[in-house]
């Protein structure tokens, strides 16, 4: 975008060298931001253990398959934890990303079925924020005592404990 703007606003008296300098400056200012490097973690399980694990899981899980379908265990829950994305490369290698919930960063509503319908109706972060501020209003502190820990030690079990 910077290059387009640069060329569209060049005056006819710009020399070729001035244009090259301007292009060089524009290109050096377009460097991608450096991203944090996370180490690739490889989890492997030896073949005999994987066969035993697969047999155990298969005996505990009763699955009814449609005709011509096959069920194959490719990872047990001890290898894959909290998956959020899975990808398979052309050689058959399987990669996944996981995302674990931090202890207090997000309130887990799975234990509150009465909140489910409202929760899935949220369209924006503001909708969710309004729900949490209403549900965990300071005046409802006594009601929320069993649900929400007073993490900020202000004597109230309210939405501020989620921040």
């Amino acid at each position: 975008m910077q290059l387009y703007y640069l060329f569209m606003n060049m005056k006819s008296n710009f020399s070729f060298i001035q244009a090259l300098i301007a292009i060089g400056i524009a290109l050096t200012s377009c460097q991608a931001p450096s991203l944090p490097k996370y180490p690739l973690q490889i989890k492997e399980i030896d073949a005999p253990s994987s066969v035993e694990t697969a047999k155990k899981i298969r005996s505990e899980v009763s699955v009814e398959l449609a005709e011509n379908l096959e069920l194959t265990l490719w990872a047990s829950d001890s290898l894959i934890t909290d998956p959020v994305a899975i990808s398979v490369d052309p050689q058959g290698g399987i990669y996944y990303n996981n995302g674990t919930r931090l202890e207090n960063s997000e309130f887990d509503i799975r234990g509150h079925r009465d909140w489910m319908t409202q929760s899935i109706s949220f369209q924006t972060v503001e909708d969710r924020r309004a729900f949490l501020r209403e549900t965990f209003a300071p005046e409802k502190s006594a009601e929320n005592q069993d649900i929400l820990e007073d993490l900020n030690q202000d004597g109230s079990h309210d939405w501020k404990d989620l921040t």
Side-chain angles (χ1 to χ4, degrees):
M1 187 61 158
Q2 291 175 343
L3 286 175
Y4 175 77
Y5 181 76
L6 177 71
F7 281 110
M8 295 306 293
N9 290 306
M10 272 191 193
K11 294 191 172 28
S12 59
N13 62 355
F14 252 67
S15 72
F16 181 71
I17 293 181
Q18 288 173 320
L20 285 178
I21 292 170
I23 290 171
I25 292 171
L27 289 175
T28 58
S29 68
C30 295
Q31 294 176 359
S34 62
L35 299 174
K37 303 272 189 268
Y38 296 102
L40 178 64
Q41 296 178 355
I42 299 173
K43 292 184 179 181
E44 294 185 51
I45 187 169
D46 59 75
S49 296
S50 66
V51 169
E52 287 305 312
T53 302
K55 282 181 184 177
K56 181 178 182 262
I57 292 172
R58 187 73 172 153
S59 69
E60 294 173 357
V61 176
S62 62
V63 177
E64 210 174 296
L65 295 173
E67 191 175 325
N68 297 323
L69 290 181
E70 181 182 321
L71 177 65
T72 304
L73 178 69
W74 56 270
S76 69
D77 58 356
S78 62
L79 288 176
I80 303 291
T81 56
D82 302 318
V84 294
I86 297 176
S87 182
V88 180
D89 69 18
Q91 292 75 36
I94 298 172
Y95 302 88
Y96 83 99
N97 292 345
N98 67 336
T100 56
R101 290 180 186 259
L102 299 175
E103 279 188 43
N104 301 312
S105 67
E106 184 174 334
F107 189 75
D108 185 1
I109 68 164
R110 290 177 289 183
H112 304 276
R113 293 201 176 270
D114 55 323
W115 297 345
M116 294 287 185
T117 303
Q118 190 171 0
S119 173
I120 62 174
S121 72
F122 300 154
Q123 297 290 315
T124 65
V125 172
E126 284 303 319
D127 292 345
R128 185 172 189 279
R129 182 176 289 132
F131 168 78
L132 291 172
R133 288 187 179 196
E134 177 185 332
T135 304
F136 297 114
E139 55 272 11
K140 296 180 180 179
S141 176
E143 297 171 37
N144 296 327
Q145 194 167 4
D146 295 334
I147 300 171
L148 190 62
E149 190 178 337
D150 183 16
L151 294 172
N152 63 0
Q153 305 294 311
D154 66 353
S156 179
H157 300 268
D158 57 15
W159 64 266
K160 294 175 189 170
D161 294 309
L162 298 173
T163 61

